[in-house]
Amino acid sequence: MREHRLINTYKNELQNYSLEQLRYKSEEEVWSIGQMYDHLILVSHSYLDNMETCSTLNEVQHLGKTEFAEKLFKFGFPPVKFKLPDELNTPPNNSDSKDVLTSRIDQVILRLNQWESKVDDINPNYKIEHISFGWLNAREWYDLVELHFHHHLRQKEELEQSFLSDGCVN
């Protein structure tokens, strides 16, 4: 069983934040740490839902990933900020406690662990389309969870620096 080290690091580091820090927003349009966690959890479940759907398909899809997605899976996300389309840009929840966020991350890890030994048995030509990345198979949806957590590391560091520089300490 994989350790999901990065996701566990996010989970463990939740304990380092006060409730004030978790919900702190330096500006109205900037997410709090708690909102970033909520986003990561929701998107992870969405990716895992797509992975599970791939496991139920029985029609082959010959189309593949976009050129951008090919590079993303090879090198990871580029160090740039992405603007979500307005219809996908609803502000994440900013009211969960550390315990609730920890429990929600545990659910992501549980799902990853449950599928780890099965994901490679799913036909790689059974795919679901991602709005930006093209057609992804179950393994790609599964791997995208960890890639997405990695992508948000820089944002996490920026948000931590923001509340520290603005005097929002434990």
Side-chain angles (χ1 to χ4, degrees), residues 41-102:
I41 294 163
L42 288 174
V43 169
S44 293
H45 282 299
S46 172
Y47 292 168
L48 292 170
D49 290 346
N50 286 330
M51 177 213 59
E52 286 187 30
T53 299
C54 287
S55 76
T56 67
L57 297 175
N58 56 16
E59 188 173 322
V60 169
Q61 172 56 255
H62 294 288
L63 296 175
K65 297 186 288 294
T66 62
E67 185 178 333
F68 175 79
E70 290 288 350
K71 291 178 183 172
L72 175 119
F73 279 91
K74 188 172 185 175
F75 303 112
F77 277 93
V80 295
K81 293 182 181 183
F82 294 95
K83 174 103 170 90
L84 293 172
D86 287 341
E87 64 272 11
L88 300 175
N89 205 17
T90 305
N93 178 13
N94 197 26
S95 62
D96 282 351
S97 67
K98 291 190 287 190
D99 290 342
V100 168
L101 288 170
T102 299

Side-chain angles (χ1 to χ4, degrees), residues 136-150:
L136 305 180
N137 63 34
R139 167 49 73 185
E140 292 161 338
W141 284 109
Y142 183 94
D143 291 345
L144 196 53
V145 172
E146 192 113 10
L147 284 169
H148 188 233
F149 270 86
H150 193 271

Side-chain angles (χ1 to χ4, degrees), residues 3-47:
E3 295 178 30
H4 307 292
R5 195 170 300 139
L6 179 60
I7 299 171
N8 274 302
T9 298
Y10 270 86
K11 181 180 104 169
N12 295 335
E13 289 181 359
L14 261 172
Q15 302 315 309
N16 298 334
Y17 306 122
S18 67
L19 192 55
E20 180 185 11
Q21 290 171 333
L22 197 61
R23 296 183 179 163
Y24 177 76
K25 291 172 54 101
S26 61
E27 299 174 37
E28 186 57 35
E29 67 279 354
V30 174
W31 289 352
S32 68
I33 293 266
Q35 286 176 301
M36 182 198 67
Y37 272 84
D38 181 67
H39 166 78
L40 285 165
I41 294 163
L42 288 174
V43 169
S44 293
H45 282 299
S46 172
Y47 292 168

